[in-house]
Amino acid sequence: MTTADIHKSTGGVWKDARERWVRTGGVELCVAELGDAELGDAERPTVLLVHGYPDSKEVWTEVAERLADQFHVVLYDVRGHGRSTAPRPLRGGFTLEKLTDDFLAVVDAVSPDRPVHVVGHDWGSVQSWEFVTVTRTEGRIASFTSMSGPSLDHFGHWIKKRMTRPTPRKVGQLLGQGAKSWYVYMLHTPVLPELAWRGPLGKRWPKILERVEKVPSGDYPTSSLPQDAAHGAWLYRDNVRARLRRPRADAYAHAPVQLITPSGDIFLSERLYDELELWAPQLIRRTLPAKHWVPRTRPDQLAAWIGDFVTANEDGLPAKNSVATGKHADRFGGQLVLVTGAGSGIGRATAFAFAEAGARVVAVDRDAESAARTAEMSRLIGAPAAWGETVDVTDEQAMEKLAEKVATEYGVVDVLVNNAGIGLSGSFLDTSAEDWKKVLDVNLWGVIHGCRLFGKQMAERGQGGHIVNTASAAAYQPSKVLPAYSTSKAAVLMLSECLRAELADQGIGVSAICPGLVNTNITATSRFVGVDAEEEKRRQKRTSRIYGLRNYPPEKVADAVLRAVVKNQAVVPVTPEARGAHLMSRFTPKALRAIARLEPPL
Amino acid sequence: MTSAVAGELSAELRGFREVQTLAYACAEAVAAQLKPGVTEREAARMQRDWLRERGVRDWFHLPFAWFGDRTAFVNFRIPLQFFPTNRKLEPGMPFILDMAPVYKGFTADIGYSGCLGLHPVHDKLLADLEAHRELILREVRERRPLREIYEDVDRLMVRQGYANRHRAYPFGVIAHKVDRVKERRLTPHLFGFGTQSLKGLASDAIHGHRDGWSPLWSPYKFSDHPPRQGLWAVEPHLGFRGTGAKFEEILVVTDSKDPEQSAFWLDDDLPHVRRWAEERAAA
């Protein structure tokens, strides 16, 4: 049934891609293979990338290039798309059964003896769910990575479940997804969608993608877009109604599944995958703060997750065991997180929390031993890699060197936590210029250096990220005994909010954390100006004692940091007193100013 | 305890050492029998039965067993949570067995940390406990106030990246005094503590209060005194994100002028000490 002729590349997007045509069921599919042929395709795992609607295989360029060093990467234009031919007639030519035929034909041609790792986006994922749940493909699929495309059968059951037992929440979920699926109804209209795609919509689509989805312009979409989109409408018409009305009851995945959910997808609700474990027993979840077209906007992260998942399943390890189990592991697994002041207190607890979530951690502290210790312990609790770096955040050149080293050796930082800080207490008139300089150097300039150097790398990469700055409840709570400290922290808070506005367009979030009284050693190392050394020691002891009695653990602040990143929160007061003061600063600032005049019991 | 009564002292110490050895033997025997599915209550009962069969009639406190994140006292708020629960042991779970039998009038109080299978974090915690054993002995020999030693232990734990879990014990103690206990026919216990031992502790507390010392070694003001001679059951307890480890054994404090003799661990042939020696030999 299948014949394949190998051609030299006829000038697709990739220079070193080998193209061939696979004939099946009356159509010819354009198949491209990447990867060093000399290394031998047969020896390396085959990763098959299936594109969605209205795309062609070129949607994968960025991801494919990143995977090609390690794997035998295969892509094909789905029938009627790109350079593949369309079935005739179109109606009835795009059923999932026929798409499965195509898939098997391609797999037989590119990897006859070994199961392949399937990766699907959008409609590519919808059809791959069919591949991975029907019996005739059993043994041909080693793993499946799904993004932004549910199984129509699972979707059908999802709707049924919510229709038969409606609760307010379930009805809300139904209506929510119903609204997001507006385009599906549109595509069921005859002729009009085709006219629109071949006419104005097709022309404007690249600009729309750039504006709405922040898809960087480049080699995508290709010139075949109007044609692809017009043909692809039949994907919906041939399958959606039939499957949603009568979903298969046996749609169980026979291969391990990795589900990547972009949290900002305007077409698909995250709730769709609520009970996916029932259908896919070996499921790993990943969450990405991005919109629908992740293969274009987040290629680095996708390539890393796909690579890890493929490798884990090739090695015969149950992939589930290789994934960290901490909170938010779906979101931070494999990401690179840099924490300053990671040698103790909140910084160390934050590094540990990220490590538990499976992130790679760079623990920065001016004390080499404690930075190394944080890195070592991070590895023990789930970080696939962790490094300790010794840097004084006030040292601009050292920070520049660090940024360069991190970028070349570990990669671009996904999450930056500017946490390093020092305490200083004493009245304004007792605070010398030297003291001011010291506090501002660490608390403000340290943050500025971090944001400037690592934020720039994030922005240049253009694949999102997040910056967390540790401010303090003192940032909005004036006090007569903390003028310098509060000023530095207020500056950090404002800096964070300004930066948040600036970087929002690039998918980089900025959060300011305002912990409040937390039991760390900042009190033991705080300077108290205007008193002699003995009195300073006494006050350090006394504040440490008060903070100890308050006993709010830094681990809870770390949890708040991770939550702030996941939810992209702007300002996060953590302890109850920090939250109370935050409320007061907004609604009763006068009362807060009155409190500021009180002498604290030191 | 001067050298004049050295003979008598060593006889007494032999008694304490004997019961401590017995308790550790019990811990090792019970640990070897732990399997997935065994509950904390069952593990505590196994310890009790094992020691009863070997002649233990009274307790300083009844045996405890903590599994999983209970070894780090996660979310412990009230003392009742110390008592064994129906938590089941699972593969890879850390556990702690803690018992304080009284045997022939001598008391031991021991803690044994183990793990069902491999657990790198637990290994690290156990290895890092060695520094605490050394630190405590050194500073007791220096006759530093107990409260300061406590703070140094605390600081070392923080530097190591751990949380101080003995803070969760009653009065936040890291150690308490133990003494001989009168053998009685009836040995009632109160909240898991033997009444005879409680009586001893209470009388120590009363006498101590008068003389400015306390039989409880805590972070509070009443521990602001140099080490009091006698036997102390010391139990530094590390916690790290849902995994805990401790050892507990008896430290002997004497009034000897010789620093080596002024304080020493009752016995150096204990599972955790042997483990460190083996690790060093392997390295």
Side-chain angles (χ1 to χ4, degrees):
Chain A
M1 167 181 140
T2 308
T3 52
D5 312 312
I6 301 183
H7 292 265
K8 270 271 162 226
S9 169
T10 44
V13 185
W14 304 287
K15 279 185 219 91
D16 51 354
R18 287 158 289 138
E19 273 188 359
R20 60 165 116 185
W21 301 86
V22 173
R23 259 178 238 130
T24 166
V27 293
E28 283 198 3
L29 301 175
C30 175
V31 181
E33 288 174 82
L34 262 81
D36 200 343
E38 278 167 25
L39 285 173
D41 291 340
E43 273 133 55
R44 295 181 308 152
T46 300
V47 178
L48 180 67
L49 306 171
V50 191
H51 70 78
Y53 175 87
D55 298 323
S56 58
K57 63 180 180 309
E58 280 70 22
V59 74
W60 287 115
T61 20
E62 299 287 328
V63 176
E65 274 167 8
R66 285 164 172 79
L67 290 171
D69 301 336
Q70 223 183 327
F71 306 107
H72 170 216
V73 181
V74 180
L75 314 99
Y76 69 97
D77 285 321
V78 172
R79 50 170 60 202
H81 295 68
R83 307 203 298 140
S84 295
T85 59
R88 244 161 246 289
L90 291 168
R91 178 190 296 274
F94 286 87
T95 58
L96 286 169
E97 290 76 16
K98 288 186 176 161
L99 295 169
T100 310
D101 291 341
D102 291 357
F103 165 74
L104 283 171
V106 172
V107 170
D108 284 342
V110 299
S111 176
D113 313 317
R114 206 168 153 188
V116 299
H117 298 270
V118 185
V119 179
H121 173 247
D122 186 85
W123 250 94
S125 170
V126 174
Q127 49 176 307
S128 298
W129 270 112
E130 174 81 1
F131 309 158
V132 84
T133 55
V134 293
T135 44
R136 62 188 172 125
T137 55
E138 246 170 88
R140 306 295 292 125
I141 299 175
S143 80
F144 169 40
T145 298
S146 160
M147 49 196 98
S148 295
S151 153
L152 290 181
D153 300 301
H154 301 165
F155 194 8
H157 288 294
W158 187 88
I159 294 173
K160 267 194 181 157
K161 209 167 197 171
R162 278 154 186 77
M163 302 263 261
T164 46
R165 287 215 186 87
T167 61
R169 171 177 298 181
K170 285 178 178 170
V171 171
Q173 291 175 355
L174 259 182
L175 293 177
Q177 181 55 47
K180 285 185 172 194
S181 297
W182 57 271
Y183 64 101
V184 179
Y185 323 129
M186 302 284 275
L187 284 166
H188 278 80
T189 340
V191 193
L192 281 177
E194 278 92 334
L195 283 177
W197 278 113
R198 289 185 201 277
L201 185 56
K203 227 174 269 159
R204 287 198 194 126
W205 187 245
K207 280 266 167 290
I208 296 176
L209 272 190
E210 208 175 326
R211 210 181 58 235
V212 180
E213 287 275 331
K214 308 270 186 285
V215 170
S217 53
D219 51 22
Y220 165 88
T222 55
S223 55
S224 62
L225 170 79
Q227 187 103 333
D228 301 344
H231 288 157
W234 288 98
L235 287 168
Y236 292 87
R237 294 168 188 162
D238 278 350
N239 297 299
V240 173
R241 263 182 302 178
R243 284 300 176 101
L244 292 191
R245 216 175 283 157
R246 278 182 302 280
R248 287 191 296 134
D250 61 346
Y252 296 101
H254 48 65
V257 178
Q258 170 172 241
L259 176 77
I260 299 176
T261 317
S263 52
D265 198 322
I266 53 169
F267 304 113
L268 295 158
S269 140
E270 284 180 82
R271 294 271 77 82
L272 271 180
Y273 307 104
D274 269 354
E275 287 170 331
L276 194 61
E277 278 86 356
L278 299 178
W279 298 105
Q282 303 172 66
L283 179 71
I284 289 178
R285 288 174 185 269
R286 305 286 196 188
T287 315
L288 205 53
K291 294 187 174 177
H292 182 74
W293 263 275
V294 281
R296 301 305 300 181
T297 54
R298 298 287 184 271
D300 280 343
Q301 184 64 75
L302 290 192
W305 278 341
I306 294 167
D308 286 350
F309 190 60
V310 168
T311 313
N313 282 300
E314 275 292 314
D315 292 345
L317 300 167
K320 227 167 172 154
N321 292 354
S322 64
V323 171
T325 49
K327 245 191 222 167
H328 306 301
D330 60 327
R331 171 72 168 72
F332 297 115
Q335 292 206 328
L336 185 64
V337 177
L338 185 140
V339 184
T340 67
S344 62
I346 293 171
R348 187 177 247 176
T350 304
F352 288 157
F354 276 113
E356 272 184 340
R360 295 175 300 140
V361 175
V362 185
V364 178
D365 201 280
R366 65 180 171 180
D367 178 44
E369 198 187 318
S370 44
R373 176 89 193 173
T374 303
E376 183 193 359
M377 301 301 289
S378 296
R379 278 192 297 273
L380 283 181
I381 54 174
W387 306 271
E389 296 286 347
T390 319
V391 173
D392 183 347
V393 292
T394 61
D395 185 341
E396 187 182 345
Q397 268 151 17
M399 283 292 277
E400 267 168 21
K401 245 189 226 153
L402 174 74
E404 217 177 282
K405 180 180 178 192
V406 168
T408 48
E409 289 182 19
Y410 319 137
V412 175
V413 170
D414 293 297
V415 180
L416 165 70
V417 184
N418 287 308
N419 164 74
I422 55 169
L424 181 81
S425 178
S427 76
F428 173 81
L429 293 178
D430 287 334
T431 309
S432 68
E434 193 64 22
D435 292 325
W436 270 99
K437 198 168 146 14
K438 215 164 178 184
V439 168
L440 291 177
D441 264 355
V442 180
N443 291 3
L444 179 58
W445 274 101
V447 175
I448 294 175
H449 290 321
C451 290
R452 213 167 47 81
L453 297 162
F454 293 101
K456 194 168 164 209
Q457 289 178 4
M458 270 183 209
E460 275 170 2
R461 178 179 64 163
Q463 295 184 40
H466 203 102
I467 298 176
V468 180
N469 294 330
T470 306
S472 164
Y476 46 74
Q477 186 179 358
S479 155
K480 66 192 266 190
V481 293
L482 292 168
Y485 180 76
S486 303
T487 306
S488 71
K489 290 301 189 181
V492 169
L493 182 61
M494 183 49 84
L495 164 67
S496 308
E497 296 209 65
C498 294
L499 197 61
R500 183 179 172 88
E502 180 175 334
L503 297 180
D505 266 355
Q506 305 184 51
I508 300 173
V510 181
S511 305
I513 306 288
C514 306
L517 302 183
V518 178
N519 191 10
T520 70
N521 67 354
I522 191 167
T523 44
T525 54
S526 282
R527 289 258 297 112
F528 288 78
V529 293
V531 292
D532 58 24
E534 200 176 314
E535 173 66 10
E536 180 173 26
K537 195 139 233 151
R538 197 192 66 77
R539 290 194 177 186
Q540 284 173 345
K541 261 194 151 163
R542 176 128 176 96
T543 38
S544 296
R545 234 179 74 77
I546 293 171
Y547 276 54
L549 284 175
R550 170 71 185 86
N551 204 17
Y552 196 89
E555 284 76 18
K556 282 198 183 176
V557 184
D559 285 346
V561 170
L562 267 68
R563 205 166 43 239
V565 179
V566 170
K567 295 187 173 172
N568 191 16
Q569 292 164 316
V571 181
V572 186
V574 185
T575 61
E577 61 271 13
R579 276 181 279 151
H582 192 235
L583 268 179
M584 285 175 78
S585 73
R586 284 201 268 172
F587 300 111
T588 56
K590 236 181 178 173
L592 214 53
R593 272 176 224 133
I595 293 172
R597 299 173 62 170
L598 298 178
E599 189 76 49
L602 285 177
Chain B
M1 292 183 199
T2 57
S3 49
V5 287
E8 188 189 327
L9 161 85
S10 55
E12 187 170 299
L13 287 187
R14 258 201 303 280
F16 281 107
R17 193 175 297 178
E18 194 185 353
V19 58
Q20 181 167 286
T21 308
L22 184 73
Y24 267 107
C26 168
E28 288 190 305
V30 170
Q33 289 175 47
L34 292 180
K35 288 191 293 283
V38 173
T39 66
E40 287 180 352
R41 285 210 174 115
E42 285 162 354
R45 179 174 300 277
M46 283 153 79
Q47 298 173 53
R48 225 157 54 204
D49 292 347
W50 196 95
L51 287 167
R52 280 236 173 86
E53 278 167 25
R54 283 154 186 83
V56 169
R57 290 287 165 268
D58 195 4
W59 309 89
F60 181 84
H61 67 71
L62 291 174
F64 292 111
W66 303 302
F67 293 171
D69 64 5
R70 280 175 47 85
T71 56
F73 296 167
V74 169
N75 296 328
F76 272 37
R77 301 215 192 287
I78 52 166
L80 282 179
Q81 289 171 303
F82 283 96
F83 289 102
T85 64
N86 281 325
R87 165 78 62 95
K88 285 196 171 98
L89 196 61
E90 289 165 25
M93 241 189 201
F95 60 82
I96 294 177
L97 306 177
D98 187 313
M99 68 196 92
V102 177
Y103 182 62
K104 296 182 190 164
F106 297 100
T107 312
D109 194 346
I110 67 136
Y112 178 91
S113 299
C115 191
L116 198 66
L118 291 174
H119 196 307
V121 174
H122 187 257
D123 284 352
K124 184 80 190 151
L125 284 162
L126 265 185
D128 285 335
L129 273 171
E130 186 176 13
H132 292 277
R133 195 173 186 261
E134 285 163 5
L135 175 103
I136 291 167
L137 181 61
R138 190 175 62 242
E139 299 202 347
V140 166
R141 282 177 175 168
E142 289 166 6
R143 289 295 186 265
R144 303 265 306 276
L146 292 181
R147 189 183 182 187
E148 274 180 27
I149 303 177
Y150 187 104
E151 283 164 2
D152 284 346
V153 170
D154 205 61
R155 262 194 286 277
L156 176 56
M157 287 184 181
V158 168
R159 217 167 37 244
Q160 288 174 329
Y162 302 133
N164 163 354
R165 293 322 291 154
H166 48 262
R167 191 174 273 278
Y169 287 89
F171 305 103
V173 299
I174 189 176
H176 56 83
K177 274 199 77 175
V178 291
D179 225 324
R180 297 197 59 156
V181 172
K182 280 206 186 89
E183 287 181 279
R184 295 278 165 101
R185 241 160 49 93
L186 282 178
T187 57
H189 34 81
L190 203 64
F191 300 113
F193 285 84
T195 43
Q196 287 303 320
S197 314
L198 279 182
K199 244 168 79 181
L201 211 54
S203 98
D204 263 357
I206 291 165
H207 287 120
H209 185 69
R210 227 178 284 153
D211 304 340
W213 63 276
S214 159
L216 298 178
W217 182 347
S218 77
Y220 305 116
K221 212 175 235 159
F222 59 73
S223 292
D224 221 348
H225 59 83
R228 173 85 186 176
Q229 67 189 53
L231 273 62
W232 292 84
V234 187
E235 46 184 337
H237 191 155
L238 307 177
F240 184 57
R241 309 192 83 82
T243 307
K246 68 180 269 193
F247 67 80
E248 182 169 14
E249 55 174 308
I250 288 177
L251 177 72
V252 185
V253 181
T254 71
D255 61 357
S256 167
K257 291 278 175 285
D258 176 8
E260 294 263 317
Q261 288 300 310
S262 68
F264 52 89
W265 295 104
L266 178 62
D267 192 354
D268 279 323
D269 189 23
L270 299 176
H272 49 275
V273 186
R274 283 198 297 269
R275 182 192 162 103
W276 297 326
E278 278 162 24
E279 271 165 12
R280 252 197 309 278

